[in-house]
Amino acid sequence: MANIAIDGPAGAGKSTIAKMVAKELGFVYVDTGAMYRAIALSCIRSGIDVKDEENVVKECENAKVTIKYINGSQKIFLDDEDVTSTIRNEEVGNGASAVSVYGRVRSRLVKMQQELAANTDVVMDGRDIGTVVLPNATLKVFLTASVEERAKRRVNEMAEKGVTVDLEQTKAEIAMRDERDTTRKESPLKQADDAILLDSTSMTIDEVKNSIINLYKKAIA
């Protein structure tokens, strides 16, 4: 199977780009972050503090997280409920960053991700795809952008949904998530030795997409 791993910090545009690349190549897109968001949502709904490792792990073991493809789009289900839209708020995003530091949570979800990649051509994005989940991926890309640019993108994304968020607060939250993701004990965010660094700060979405597709074509040539 051909696998493309796209890693990078929060707000770098990984999911948007990964979806576009997968569509153009005819691959399946797997949003690993959505799986962690589903676990975070389950904890929030159950009143579990995401800093309480033991209870988070128990919740993860009992929660049923599945990925389904409906009309070509990935849908995330939590205990048979479609939570694809529900998991996209800031509280759940921050919760996902918190629960993802726990080794037993990661082990369960990584196994699911690897099983998907073993059976189909995938584009997978996250924090540790190239280093842990798909260490033998056909192509590994580390996609990043400045904190300022990532915050602006987040503010614009929320504005399109009719939600107003503060730029400085968003910058602070992104910086905090970067710190947590890069310093966590279990599978910290880092660029794989054989990953190609792609800084999208001054690039358009199409430029990033085309760069990755060209890199993939070179990798299989």
Side-chain angles (χ1 to χ4, degrees):
M1 293 292 108
N3 300 153
I4 298 177
I6 301 178
D7 287 309
K14 299 183 301 296
S15 297
T16 299
I17 297 301
K19 289 175 186 176
M20 295 171 70
V21 171
K23 183 176 181 179
E24 186 151 330
L25 294 176
F27 286 17
V28 169
Y29 164 63
V30 180
D31 177 3
T32 61
M35 299 170 74
Y36 289 98
R37 283 172 176 265
I39 296 299
L41 176 62
S42 186
C43 290
I44 291 169
R45 286 179 168 179
S46 296
I48 295 171
D49 185 341
V50 292
K51 295 179 182 178
D52 182 349
E53 181 174 356
E54 287 303 314
N55 280 320
V56 168
V57 170
K58 289 179 182 177
E59 187 73 11
C60 179
E61 291 172 346
N62 293 325
K64 178 184 176 185
V65 178
T66 54
I67 296 177
K68 297 180 182 179
Y69 290 87
I70 301 173
N71 296 324
S73 297
Q74 175 185 266
K75 300 293 183 181
I76 300 294
F77 286 79
L78 173 62
D79 299 326
D80 299 320
E81 175 193 350
D82 183 351
V83 295
T84 308
S85 297
T86 311
I87 60 175
R88 292 301 169 186
N89 66 50
E90 209 64 30
E91 180 187 14
V92 174
N94 289 327
S97 182
V99 303
S100 67
V101 304
Y102 305 134
R104 285 175 288 175
V105 172
R106 300 197 70 83
S107 293
R108 184 187 176 208
L109 297 187
V110 165
K111 183 179 179 181
M112 292 173 60
Q113 294 155 12
Q114 290 174 331
E115 289 172 351
L116 279 169
N119 294 302
T120 189
D121 297 329
V122 302
V123 178
M124 196 176 292
D125 74 279
R127 303 289 193 279
D128 62 347
I129 309 305
T131 54
V132 176
V133 183
L134 301 178
N136 299 313
T138 313
L139 171 67
K140 300 178 187 178
V141 174
F142 191 86
L143 182 64
T144 190
S146 67
V147 171
E148 177 82 21
E149 178 62 23
R150 286 186 278 142
K152 287 180 180 177
R153 292 174 183 174
R154 180 61 177 165
V155 169
N156 291 336
E157 178 186 353
M158 296 306 291
E160 290 176 358
K161 298 178 181 178
V163 179
T164 300
V165 293
D166 181 74
L167 176 61
E168 292 304 314
Q169 181 181 345
T170 303
K171 285 170 61 177
E173 290 173 347
I174 287 176
M176 181 177 67
R177 287 182 67 179
D178 285 353
E179 174 69 15
R180 185 162 55 212
D181 289 345
T182 56
T183 60
R184 69 190 182 201
K185 182 179 179 181
E186 295 288 339
S187 302
L189 167 66
K190 65 178 181 179
Q191 181 178 340
D193 293 337
D194 54 348
I196 297 171
L197 177 65
L198 191 58
D199 189 328
S200 69
T201 301
S202 58
M203 298 174 71
T204 66
I205 291 176
D206 282 335
E207 287 173 340
V208 177
K209 179 202 70 173
N210 291 335
S211 293
I212 293 177
I213 288 174
N214 288 333
L215 288 170
Y216 170 71
K217 290 179 178 177
K218 288 181 181 178
I220 63 173

